[in-house]
Amino acid sequence: MPHTLPDLPYPHDALEPIIDKMTMEIHHGRHHKAYVDNLNKALENHADLQAKSLEELLRGIKNVPEAIRTAVQNNGGGHHNHTLFWEIMAPPGTGGGEPVGELKTAIDNAFSSFTEFKNKVKAAAVGRFGSGWAWLVWDGTALQIYSTANQDSPLMQGHIPLLGIDVWEHAYYLKYQNRRPDYVDAWWSVVNWKKVGENLTKARSGK
Ligand code: MN3
């Protein structure tokens, strides 16, 4: 089965005014689509790799033949990262606010407070030079915050991404231009804490 572009879980304009409609149209319909198309192209003559799930491919990136490894890393990572990104956002009002329950407890324990947590994520997002992602991950025993370059996925180092903020300029340039810190501050109004909480529960259960 070739990899396919998932539909957005909401209309393109649903994240307005935090993320504008045109950015979402281009980001999902062109950028994400290109990662999916190029991943399928890279796997064209590799039936054994076509049979693997996207997660398996990225976790086992070191075992992917060298000739296509970079293509799978970039485009498979891009596919997985963006699929997560759409899911962990929600329209302002539904999204935003503060985490609750198990996720709130885990964040407070790991980072001392929600404010400190947000500061650390912002530092990771703003500190990433060039293109990449800021992450909240489950590393198998604890929560961690860090950034990766390009489309590198935390799965490639055995971690499970729970929340990721796309800090490629294509994610924010039309509305925020060079003001990445403003984009990150605004982004908290569309984060889907319910989904991030589900991701933590699932990661901890080891599934
Ligand atoms: Mn992107």
mmCIF file of all heavy atoms in Angstrom, residues 27 31-32 35 78 82 85-86 132-133 151 166-168 170-171, ligand 1:
data_model
loop_
_atom_site.group_PDB
_atom_site.id
_atom_site.type_symbol
_atom_site.label_atom_id
_atom_site.label_comp_id
_atom_site.label_asym_id
_atom_site.label_seq_id
_atom_site.Cartn_x
_atom_site.Cartn_y
_atom_site.Cartn_z
ATOM 1 N N HIS A 27 0.483 24.387 2.883
ATOM 2 C CA HIS A 27 1.245 23.512 3.779
ATOM 3 C C HIS A 27 0.779 22.060 3.654
ATOM 4 O O HIS A 27 1.578 21.139 3.516
ATOM 5 C CB HIS A 27 1.075 24.017 5.217
ATOM 6 C CG HIS A 27 2.135 23.558 6.161
ATOM 7 N ND1 HIS A 27 2.206 24.011 7.455
ATOM 8 C CD2 HIS A 27 3.160 22.684 6.017
ATOM 9 C CE1 HIS A 27 3.237 23.433 8.054
ATOM 10 N NE2 HIS A 27 3.826 22.629 7.200
ATOM 11 N N HIS A 31 3.107 21.051 0.444
ATOM 12 C CA HIS A 31 4.296 20.570 1.162
ATOM 13 C C HIS A 31 4.109 19.134 1.655
ATOM 14 O O HIS A 31 4.918 18.262 1.364
ATOM 15 C CB HIS A 31 4.632 21.496 2.335
ATOM 16 C CG HIS A 31 5.151 22.827 1.908
ATOM 17 N ND1 HIS A 31 6.470 23.046 1.568
ATOM 18 C CD2 HIS A 31 4.527 24.018 1.751
ATOM 19 C CE1 HIS A 31 6.638 24.312 1.222
ATOM 20 N NE2 HIS A 31 5.473 24.930 1.325
ATOM 21 N N HIS A 32 3.045 18.904 2.426
ATOM 22 C CA HIS A 32 2.852 17.553 2.955
ATOM 23 C C HIS A 32 2.662 16.549 1.816
ATOM 24 O O HIS A 32 3.226 15.459 1.826
ATOM 25 C CB HIS A 32 1.660 17.525 3.933
ATOM 26 C CG HIS A 32 1.519 16.233 4.682
ATOM 27 N ND1 HIS A 32 0.613 16.057 5.698
ATOM 28 C CD2 HIS A 32 2.159 15.043 4.555
ATOM 29 C CE1 HIS A 32 0.721 14.810 6.164
ATOM 30 N NE2 HIS A 32 1.642 14.177 5.487
ATOM 31 N N TYR A 35 5.922 15.422 0.401
ATOM 32 C CA TYR A 35 6.635 14.433 1.223
ATOM 33 C C TYR A 35 6.075 13.032 0.970
ATOM 34 O O TYR A 35 6.826 12.065 0.833
ATOM 35 C CB TYR A 35 6.527 14.776 2.720
ATOM 36 C CG TYR A 35 7.175 16.085 3.097
ATOM 37 C CD1 TYR A 35 6.452 17.077 3.766
ATOM 38 C CD2 TYR A 35 8.511 16.340 2.803
ATOM 39 C CE1 TYR A 35 7.043 18.289 4.115
ATOM 40 C CE2 TYR A 35 9.108 17.546 3.149
ATOM 41 C CZ TYR A 35 8.361 18.523 3.803
ATOM 42 O OH TYR A 35 8.950 19.711 4.145
ATOM 43 N N GLY A 78 8.985 13.843 7.064
ATOM 44 C CA GLY A 78 8.052 14.924 6.739
ATOM 45 C C GLY A 78 6.606 14.458 6.786
ATOM 46 O O GLY A 78 5.734 15.155 7.297
ATOM 47 N N HIS A 82 4.121 15.884 9.822
ATOM 48 C CA HIS A 82 2.954 16.705 9.470
ATOM 49 C C HIS A 82 1.645 16.034 9.850
ATOM 50 O O HIS A 82 0.703 16.702 10.279
ATOM 51 C CB HIS A 82 2.995 17.071 7.982
ATOM 52 C CG HIS A 82 4.030 18.113 7.678
ATOM 53 N ND1 HIS A 82 5.336 17.796 7.437
ATOM 54 C CD2 HIS A 82 3.953 19.472 7.663
ATOM 55 C CE1 HIS A 82 6.034 18.926 7.253
ATOM 56 N NE2 HIS A 82 5.208 19.956 7.381
ATOM 57 N N PHE A 85 1.263 16.833 13.333
ATOM 58 C CA PHE A 85 1.035 18.282 13.497
ATOM 59 C C PHE A 85 -0.442 18.636 13.302
ATOM 60 O O PHE A 85 -1.028 19.357 14.116
ATOM 61 C CB PHE A 85 1.909 19.029 12.493
ATOM 62 C CG PHE A 85 1.962 20.525 12.653
ATOM 63 C CD1 PHE A 85 2.302 21.109 13.869
ATOM 64 C CD2 PHE A 85 1.710 21.360 11.563
ATOM 65 C CE1 PHE A 85 2.381 22.506 13.994
ATOM 66 C CE2 PHE A 85 1.790 22.744 11.680
ATOM 67 C CZ PHE A 85 2.124 23.323 12.901
ATOM 68 N N TRP A 86 -1.062 18.097 12.233
ATOM 69 C CA TRP A 86 -2.485 18.416 11.993
ATOM 70 C C TRP A 86 -3.343 17.904 13.138
ATOM 71 O O TRP A 86 -4.306 18.547 13.537
ATOM 72 C CB TRP A 86 -2.978 17.805 10.672
ATOM 73 C CG TRP A 86 -2.113 18.006 9.473
ATOM 74 C CD1 TRP A 86 -1.760 17.053 8.550
ATOM 75 C CD2 TRP A 86 -1.492 19.223 9.011
ATOM 76 N NE1 TRP A 86 -0.959 17.593 7.575
ATOM 77 C CE2 TRP A 86 -0.781 18.918 7.835
ATOM 78 C CE3 TRP A 86 -1.456 20.534 9.499
ATOM 79 C CZ2 TRP A 86 -0.039 19.868 7.118
ATOM 80 C CZ3 TRP A 86 -0.727 21.495 8.791
ATOM 81 C CH2 TRP A 86 -0.030 21.148 7.630
ATOM 82 N N GLY A 132 13.171 23.210 10.966
ATOM 83 C CA GLY A 132 13.096 22.053 11.844
ATOM 84 C C GLY A 132 11.835 22.056 12.671
ATOM 85 O O GLY A 132 10.837 22.692 12.305
ATOM 86 N N TRP A 133 11.897 21.335 13.777
ATOM 87 C CA TRP A 133 10.738 21.132 14.647
ATOM 88 C C TRP A 133 11.138 21.251 16.115
ATOM 89 O O TRP A 133 12.244 20.863 16.492
ATOM 90 C CB TRP A 133 10.157 19.728 14.429
ATOM 91 C CG TRP A 133 9.501 19.547 13.086
ATOM 92 C CD1 TRP A 133 10.131 19.407 11.875
ATOM 93 C CD2 TRP A 133 8.093 19.506 12.818
ATOM 94 N NE1 TRP A 133 9.197 19.283 10.875
ATOM 95 C CE2 TRP A 133 7.937 19.331 11.428
ATOM 96 C CE3 TRP A 133 6.952 19.582 13.625
ATOM 97 C CZ2 TRP A 133 6.684 19.240 10.817
ATOM 98 C CZ3 TRP A 133 5.713 19.496 13.025
ATOM 99 C CH2 TRP A 133 5.587 19.328 11.635
ATOM 100 N N GLN A 151 13.432 17.499 8.587
ATOM 101 C CA GLN A 151 12.237 16.707 8.911
ATOM 102 C C GLN A 151 12.597 15.509 9.787
ATOM 103 O O GLN A 151 11.855 14.508 9.808
ATOM 104 C CB GLN A 151 11.512 16.254 7.625
ATOM 105 C CG GLN A 151 10.922 17.370 6.804
ATOM 106 C CD GLN A 151 9.799 18.117 7.535
ATOM 107 O OE1 GLN A 151 9.312 17.708 8.591
ATOM 108 N NE2 GLN A 151 9.392 19.247 6.969
ATOM 109 N N ASP A 166 5.983 22.886 13.989
ATOM 110 C CA ASP A 166 6.715 23.057 12.737
ATOM 111 C C ASP A 166 7.287 24.473 12.709
ATOM 112 O O ASP A 166 6.529 25.446 12.751
ATOM 113 C CB ASP A 166 5.735 22.845 11.576
ATOM 114 C CG ASP A 166 6.411 22.787 10.213
ATOM 115 O OD1 ASP A 166 7.577 23.236 10.097
ATOM 116 O OD2 ASP A 166 5.765 22.303 9.262
ATOM 117 N N VAL A 167 8.604 24.590 12.669
ATOM 118 C CA VAL A 167 9.202 25.932 12.606
ATOM 119 C C VAL A 167 9.900 26.190 11.273
ATOM 120 O O VAL A 167 10.762 27.065 11.166
ATOM 121 C CB VAL A 167 10.124 26.238 13.820
ATOM 122 C CG1 VAL A 167 9.317 26.219 15.107
ATOM 123 C CG2 VAL A 167 11.312 25.298 13.916
ATOM 124 N N TRP A 168 9.540 25.423 10.255
ATOM 125 C CA TRP A 168 9.935 25.795 8.892
ATOM 126 C C TRP A 168 9.205 27.092 8.540
ATOM 127 O O TRP A 168 8.043 27.287 8.927
ATOM 128 C CB TRP A 168 9.493 24.707 7.895
ATOM 129 C CG TRP A 168 10.341 23.463 7.883
ATOM 130 C CD1 TRP A 168 10.618 22.644 8.934
ATOM 131 C CD2 TRP A 168 10.983 22.883 6.752
ATOM 132 N NE1 TRP A 168 11.393 21.602 8.526
ATOM 133 C CE2 TRP A 168 11.638 21.719 7.191
ATOM 134 C CE3 TRP A 168 11.075 23.235 5.397
ATOM 135 C CZ2 TRP A 168 12.379 20.903 6.331
ATOM 136 C CZ3 TRP A 168 11.805 22.413 4.536
ATOM 137 C CH2 TRP A 168 12.457 21.259 5.002
ATOM 138 N N HIS A 170 7.746 27.856 5.941
ATOM 139 C CA HIS A 170 6.490 27.611 5.208
ATOM 140 C C HIS A 170 5.299 27.476 6.161
ATOM 141 O O HIS A 170 4.154 27.585 5.746
ATOM 142 C CB HIS A 170 6.604 26.407 4.256
ATOM 143 C CG HIS A 170 6.725 25.058 4.908
ATOM 144 N ND1 HIS A 170 7.624 24.100 4.489
ATOM 145 C CD2 HIS A 170 6.061 24.485 5.939
ATOM 146 C CE1 HIS A 170 7.499 23.008 5.223
ATOM 147 N NE2 HIS A 170 6.557 23.217 6.117
ATOM 148 N N ALA A 171 5.575 27.219 7.438
ATOM 149 C CA ALA A 171 4.497 27.044 8.424
ATOM 150 C C ALA A 171 3.927 28.375 8.906
ATOM 151 O O ALA A 171 2.820 28.411 9.442
ATOM 152 C CB ALA A 171 5.004 26.245 9.617
HETATM 153 MN MN MN3 B 1 5.828 21.897 7.366
#
